[in-house]
Amino acid sequence: VTPPGVGYGLAANQIISLELHYINTDADTLQVQAQTEIYPAEDGANLQDSTVLLIGTTNFSLAPQTTTSTGPRYIAMPSALDGVNYFAITGHTHRLGTAVKVSSAASSTATPNVLYAPSDYNWDSPSLDQLNPPAQVPSGGGFVLQCDWNNTTNSTITWGESALDEMCFFWAYYYPRKSVSNLILEGIGPVDPSFIKTLGI
């Protein structure tokens, strides 16, 4: 849900892709359905355009039969995003994830301001927390991300696209929209949008 006066812009003839990820661990066929609702703005509405960033890290390795944490990982935001308003956040891991924590910070050494840290994190249906009022990252600052896991398998698990691999990301919804990549990775910065499809997210 966007704040008042904010919406998502759709260009003429634009394609919208609805992507669903399921794994059937049973022997029987499952029927899956999903639905989305789009509400058009009133004629003449003067809305600020919003969008979403996918921010994360691929730098982790989970030893067998252990609990593991990335620890706080600082991810700088590009200067083009200075002053934007972040109005919602949701975390993302796979099945071994036990927690996602997201904070804003003025620098890698500054005290972080916690924005997202659900106490009952569920990897298969993580909460999408509305930030009201919207939050801003200090100019020249970034986000601090931490993911925690409990590897109950007998294998070392790393980042990957499979449901049996792991991920550590969060979505940050913001306005007004800026001309920057929607994907930002720790240690790499903004990534070419075409790379997003290779992540399998």
Side-chain angles (χ1 to χ4, degrees), residues 12-95:
N13 301 310
Q14 181 170 335
I15 294 174
I16 300 175
S17 176
L18 301 180
E19 192 168 306
L20 307 177
H21 293 227
Y22 290 89
I23 181 169
N24 184 0
T25 59
D26 203 355
D28 297 328
T29 298
L30 296 178
Q31 299 297 324
V32 176
Q33 286 186 322
Q35 176 178 307
T36 188
E37 297 180 355
I38 298 175
Y39 299 91
E42 296 180 2
D43 290 343
N46 183 22
L47 301 180
Q48 295 192 73
D49 196 9
S50 64
T51 189
V52 62
L53 297 174
L54 179 59
I55 303 168
T57 182
T58 62
N59 299 326
F60 56 83
S61 179
L62 316 182
Q65 300 295 331
T66 60
T67 57
T68 305
S69 175
T70 59
R73 309 291 275 269
Y74 178 76
I75 304 174
M77 292 296 100
S79 59
L81 291 172
D82 285 353
V84 302
N85 301 287
Y86 296 94
F87 63 88
I89 291 178
T90 188
H92 177 75
T93 66
H94 286 180
R95 64 194 175 113

Side-chain angles (χ1 to χ4, degrees), residues 158-174:
T158 57
W159 181 90
E161 299 177 26
S162 168
L164 303 181
D165 298 323
E166 272 301 330
M167 290 190 176
C168 178
F169 287 100
F170 68 97
W171 279 267
Y173 298 80
Y174 78 91

Side-chain angles (χ1 to χ4, degrees), residues 1 24 49 53 67-68 109 121 126 130 144 149 163 177 182 184 186:
V1 178
N24 184 0
D49 196 9
L53 297 174
T67 57
T68 305
T109 58
Y121 176 79
Q130 300 280 151
V144 179
W149 299 271
R177 181 175 189 151
N182 290 85
I184 299 174
E186 177 196 30

Side-chain angles (χ1 to χ4, degrees), residues 103-124:
S103 306
S104 62
S107 69
S108 60
T109 58
T111 301
N113 175 39
V114 177
L115 301 175
Y116 178 89
S119 58
D120 56 347
Y121 176 79
N122 295 311
W123 73 270
D124 58 346

Side-chain angles (χ1 to χ4, degrees), residues 139-153:
S139 295
F143 287 103
V144 179
L145 169 63
Q146 178 173 324
C147 293
D148 299 337
W149 299 271
N150 182 16
N151 184 359
T152 56
T153 77

